[in-house]
Amino acid sequence: MHNAKEGFLVKGWAEDAQAVMQNARICLAPLRFGAGIKGKLVEAMQMGTPSITTPIGSESMHGNLPWNGVVADNNDTFVDAAVSLYEDKRSWELMQQNGNRILEYRYQAAQWESVLTKRLIVQNQLKNNLRKKHFLGLMLRHHSLKSTQYMSQWIELKNKLTEK
């Protein structure tokens, strides 16, 4: 896909995707399939980078709030939106603000980050007790180990029979 003559440069893997996204003018995400929250689009919002995507890309991510860029349902609209948003500073700034609103109202990191962190710390402290009480996990572990035992017994018996 690398085509220097047309100005389309593929530079390979990024060591720090957030730094790349933060330095990008726009995020192009022509997603044709997917479900739920798309990490690349949330990351673009977090880094203040407006995005051009498809209805599949924005699906379930912004509710009734305006998207942080353009949702395009065909190739021509996608390309036109990318060029327009890249060149129009005022629209770009508005779309950046839309992304901040989506993050604030839909994902509420300020509210949930501390709750999640506390929960993970508690779960980590209780993991041994929780594992002892988890019947299904204990049963699967037991039978997983038993299958290894029975397989080794079968191999041992097979080897004895083939030696004779």
Side-chain angles (χ1 to χ4, degrees):
M1 291 180 64
H2 183 84
N3 189 333
K5 286 182 181 180
E6 292 185 19
F8 191 85
L9 308 177
V10 177
K11 295 185 176 186
W13 293 99
E15 286 187 35
D16 183 352
Q18 289 181 337
V20 171
M21 188 65 76
Q22 192 169 24
N23 291 316
R25 181 85 170 150
I26 56 175
C27 171
L28 302 178
L31 303 177
R32 298 182 331 193
F33 53 86
I37 297 169
K38 286 50 161 216
K40 63 178 63 56
L41 294 172
V42 170
E43 195 168 73
M45 287 182 217
Q46 290 173 323
M47 298 301 111
T49 305
S51 62
I52 313 296
T53 192
T54 59
I56 295 292
S58 70
E59 180 180 63
S60 80
M61 292 190 57
H62 61 103
N64 295 325
L65 298 170
W67 185 245
N68 75 314
V70 177
V71 178
D73 58 1
N74 65 58
N75 290 344
D76 291 337
T77 306
F78 192 96
V79 171
D80 291 344
V83 171
S84 175
L85 187 56
Y86 186 87
E87 293 177 344
D88 185 350
K89 184 178 180 182
R90 191 174 299 162
S91 291
W92 186 89
E93 289 171 347
L94 175 64
M95 298 308 164
Q96 190 178 48
Q97 291 169 9
N98 288 350
N100 291 334
R101 267 189 232 104
I102 292 169
L103 290 173
E104 183 180 344
Y105 294 111
R106 292 283 291 184
Y107 300 105
Q108 302 168 347
Q111 176 185 345
W112 293 106
E113 185 174 18
S114 64
V115 173
L116 176 62
T117 302
K118 287 176 189 173
R119 179 69 187 262
L120 291 173
I121 290 168
V122 169
Q123 290 295 112
N124 189 46
Q125 291 170 346
L126 299 175
K127 71 181 173 190
N128 291 329
N129 287 333
L130 292 171
R131 287 178 180 165
K132 289 176 187 174
K133 294 177 184 177
H134 190 257
F135 173 76
L136 189 60
L138 292 170
M139 183 182 71
L140 290 171
R141 182 176 172 86
H142 168 79
H143 286 287
S144 171
L145 297 175
K146 284 295 183 187
S147 66
T148 304
Q149 174 192 343
Y150 296 137
M151 178 62 89
S152 65
Q153 288 174 344
W154 179 81
I155 292 170
E156 187 179 334
L157 183 60
K158 184 183 91 126
N159 288 340
K160 283 181 184 177
L161 291 173
T162 55
E163 289 175 4
K164 292 181 179 181

